[in-house]
Amino acid sequence: GEVMSIGYGGFLTRSNYFLSNGKGLKVNLLFSKDQTQASLSTNAEVVWTCREANSYRYGFKFEDLDIKLSDILKGSLDINEITIKSKN
């Protein structure tokens, strides 16, 4: 998927795959800027879904946020990759 926006409470993403509202997922984000790379693994929940012509937009809420996210957001790192998996 493509991350369109991210903040302390969650993120907005676009994907070709359908996910139900309320679904809990494991999220892995890979960030980078210049020579610096960072990653974040956390649980998130789909809180809203919007159908588009050939894809879906999703609003995710972080469930158990690692403190590293604040450092990543303060550093304005670019998101290179997102992997979303079922928690089980």
Side-chain angles (χ1 to χ4, degrees), residues 10-22:
F11 63 97
L12 169 65
T13 188
R14 177 179 288 135
S15 175
N16 294 329
Y17 302 101
F18 176 75
L19 301 170
S20 302
N21 286 350

Side-chain angles (χ1 to χ4, degrees), residues 15-21 23 46 49-51 55-56 58:
S15 175
N16 294 329
Y17 302 101
F18 176 75
L19 301 170
S20 302
N21 286 350
K23 178 140 180 89
V46 178
T49 303
C50 179
R51 176 84 166 116
S55 63
Y56 299 89
Y58 297 102

Side-chain angles (χ1 to χ4, degrees), residues 29-83:
L29 299 167
L30 176 64
F31 302 84
S32 71
K33 184 171 185 173
D34 301 325
Q35 300 295 321
T36 304
Q37 287 194 342
S39 64
L40 169 72
S41 289
T42 189
N43 293 315
E45 177 185 342
V46 178
V47 291
W48 61 264
T49 303
C50 179
R51 176 84 166 116
E52 296 183 331
N54 297 317
S55 63
Y56 299 89
R57 277 188 301 152
Y58 297 102
F60 281 87
K61 175 180 76 173
F62 292 122
E63 292 181 345
D64 56 349
L65 194 54
D66 188 321
I67 194 68
K68 289 189 297 185
L69 180 61
S70 63
D71 295 333
I72 291 168
L73 292 173
K74 286 178 189 172
S76 299
L77 300 176
D78 298 323
I79 300 171
N80 287 347
E81 181 180 318
I82 181 170
T83 306

